[in-house]
Amino acid sequence: MKRIYLDNASTTPIIPEVVDVMIPYLSEYFGNPSAIYLEGRNSRMAVENARKEIALCLSTYPSQIIFTSGGTEANNLALGGVIKARKIIVVISSPIEHESVLKTLYDLSSDGLIKLQMVNITIEGVPDYFHLESLFQANVNETILVSLMHGNNETGSMIDLELVGKLSKRYRAYFHTNAVQTIAYYPMALSNSPFDLLSVSAHKFHGPKGIGFIWVRKDIGLRTMQTGGSHENGMRAGAEHVAGIVGMAKSFRLSMESYPAAIQHIQQLYMQLREGLTKIGGRVNGMRNGNGLYSILNMCFENRFQSHNLLVELDSAGIAVESSVGQSSQVLSKLETAIVSDDIISIRFSFSRFNTSNEIFRVLSIMDYQLNGYSVFKKALPT
């Protein structure tokens, strides 16, 4: 039986079309993009064409795209770079950001370089916007940066980008958003964006691991956080990962092209699984009004056995999902929607356009059997 992969928020399988465009740059086109001879020029052309392709998808200028080694470095560079360049005094963030954001800000705060303030999070996993404005008002005489992720990687809760952007503009603050989970699911025209900096990682949309980028508004400017060469217009030292960049551009374009059909398909899978799991005693963590990220469903259940054992049983049945351990348990605890304890287990299911309805039927049947000892769901068709 074919395995069912529902942990796409963690990483996605790279697709054949992406592998095909990468292979030449892992073999015959091996030149360093900084070299002036033919081999180098070939690699440089591939990098710049990929930058143009991504920029075209985002309705922005290629010069605003800075390639990184992935989402973690993108967040680190965006935050550290703008704090250093703009002499940021106060940073407003939230306790449920990705660790690459939180640990960066905690370090800067503990070193006395910034004053870090946390906005309250509602029970649905979004910022309390009244509290956010009060933090802006309390620091109105300071230079402020706000960093809030677009879509939460554990619960799928989504912030109101336009509202945060308007508040940031009103109080003359800079706005960074981590769009790693959302960029391929919510096409954006960055020429008129409400934020100033955006972080992206390719392996979340069927591209290669180890590559990502940040987008920076033209009038913002960054200070490099690495010492070395003048690569990426002096913003990121180190020879560019040519094959990864080419693969990322291809996977991003394919995601944009598939968007109209993919959104409808994934939303149907989301609702099918959500309704089915609710019938067997599941409860949604995060946004319950349907306004969350449609590719992530986090559900909690009464825990009749240890969460690790359930994951092992699901894995043995051919299902790859993630439970609320590590960072996700901290997120859920802070949301107060499902305090992780011996009585509650939370599982994150995350979809891609390659999942099927038959797979969801099979997951429901196996989940029902594991949790209740029987299944009310009809047997899924072969997959």
Side-chain angles (χ1 to χ4, degrees):
M1 183 74 73
K2 181 182 176 183
R3 286 184 61 82
I4 298 173
Y5 185 76
L6 287 174
D7 194 25
N8 292 279
S10 174
T11 193
T12 56
I14 191 169
I15 53 180
E17 299 96 319
V18 173
V19 175
D20 289 344
V21 300
M22 291 177 65
I23 287 175
Y25 296 95
L26 294 170
S27 54
E28 57 182 311
Y29 299 116
F30 58 85
N32 188 321
S34 297
I36 63 172
Y37 44 75
L38 180 61
E39 288 83 356
R41 295 199 305 273
N42 287 337
S43 292
R44 172 54 55 191
M45 183 180 300
V47 168
E48 297 311 321
N49 285 341
R51 201 188 311 271
K52 290 175 184 177
E53 188 169 12
I54 293 170
L56 183 63
C57 291
L58 293 172
S59 300
T60 190
Y61 294 100
S63 60
Q64 293 177 265
I65 304 292
I66 301 171
F67 294 126
T68 68
S69 63
T72 291
E73 187 191 347
N75 284 330
N76 274 251
L77 176 56
L79 293 171
V82 74
I83 287 170
K84 194 174 181 180
R86 293 295 170 176
K87 297 180 173 56
I88 303 295
I89 300 299
V90 174
V91 178
I92 301 172
S93 192
S94 89
I96 61 170
E97 300 302 303
H98 190 270
E99 287 185 340
S100 61
V101 168
L102 287 178
K103 288 186 176 180
T104 299
L105 296 178
Y106 288 151
D107 285 348
L108 291 169
S109 176
S110 64
D111 289 342
L113 300 177
I114 61 168
K115 298 175 184 176
L116 179 58
Q117 301 186 0
M118 294 294 182
V119 65
N120 294 337
I121 296 297
T122 72
I123 197 169
E124 290 199 329
V126 296
D128 178 335
Y129 297 113
F130 292 104
H131 183 230
L132 176 60
E133 183 162 21
S134 72
L135 292 177
F136 278 127
Q137 292 171 342
N139 297 282
V140 68
N141 295 321
E142 306 287 3
T143 308
I144 304 172
L145 168 68
V146 58
S147 179
L148 296 170
M149 68 198 316
H150 185 201
N152 186 271
N153 54 303
E154 298 295 343
T155 65
S157 298
M158 295 182 65
I159 69 168
D160 187 332
L161 283 178
E162 295 296 331
L163 177 56
V164 176
K166 287 179 181 178
L167 288 173
S168 299
K169 186 174 182 180
R170 180 182 304 167
Y171 293 96
R172 300 185 301 279
Y174 300 100
F175 177 21
H176 162 256
T177 191
N178 171 4
V180 164
Q181 293 294 339
T182 58
I183 189 68
Y185 298 97
Y186 292 87
M188 302 176 186
L190 299 187
S191 57
N192 190 32
S193 71
F195 42 80
D196 302 299
L197 304 107
L198 176 90
S199 304
V200 176
S201 182
H203 75 105
K204 306 296 185 178
F205 47 85
H206 305 286
K209 295 178 180 66
I211 192 68
F213 67 87
I214 59 172
W215 172 85
V216 185
R217 189 179 298 283
K218 271 186 172 297
D219 57 348
I220 297 301
L222 292 182
R223 293 281 295 276
T224 182
M225 303 304 293
Q226 288 179 282
T227 55
S230 57
H231 311 81
E232 293 301 294
N233 289 324
M235 290 296 101
R236 198 258 180 186
E240 290 90 346
H241 177 15
V242 181
I245 290 169
V246 170
M248 175 168 61
K250 178 71 171 182
S251 60
F252 192 61
R253 182 171 62 80
L254 290 175
S255 294
M256 294 298 96
E257 290 175 352
S258 68
Y259 171 74
I263 182 173
Q264 183 177 5
H265 174 67
I266 297 176
Q267 284 175 332
Q268 289 173 347
L269 299 181
Y270 174 97
M271 291 307 302
Q272 180 186 353
L273 185 58
R274 174 174 166 167
E275 291 172 3
L277 292 177
T278 301
K279 288 179 181 177
I280 62 175
R283 182 163 57 90
V284 176
N285 289 319
M287 303 183 86
R288 299 183 178 91
N289 57 8
N291 292 331
L293 177 56
Y294 59 88
S295 62
I296 295 178
L297 174 64
N298 194 308
M299 301 283 288
C300 62
F301 307 86
E302 289 185 10
N303 189 10
R304 294 180 175 84
F305 46 89
Q306 294 297 316
S307 60
H308 176 73
N309 293 339
L310 178 56
L311 285 186
V312 170
E313 293 296 331
L314 293 174
D315 185 33
S316 297
I319 301 171
V321 293
E322 184 58 84
S323 75
S324 291
V325 295
Q327 183 193 6
S328 59
S329 65
Q330 297 171 24
V331 169
L332 295 173
S333 295
K334 286 165 183 169
L335 295 186
E336 297 181 348
T337 58
I339 304 300
V340 178
S341 68
D342 292 337
D343 301 322
I344 296 292
I345 176 174
S346 293
I347 297 182
R348 180 188 68 183
F349 304 86
S350 47
F351 314 89
S352 83
R353 65 184 186 271
F354 300 109
N355 289 121
T356 67
S357 179
N358 279 344
E359 289 179 332
I360 302 305
F361 272 117
R362 195 171 135 213
V363 169
L364 288 171
S365 178
I366 293 171
M367 283 289 296
D368 196 9
Y369 180 79
Q370 292 295 335
L371 292 170
N372 301 316
Y374 59 87
S375 179
V376 299
F377 296 95
K378 295 180 181 179
K379 186 177 180 180
L381 297 173
T383 56

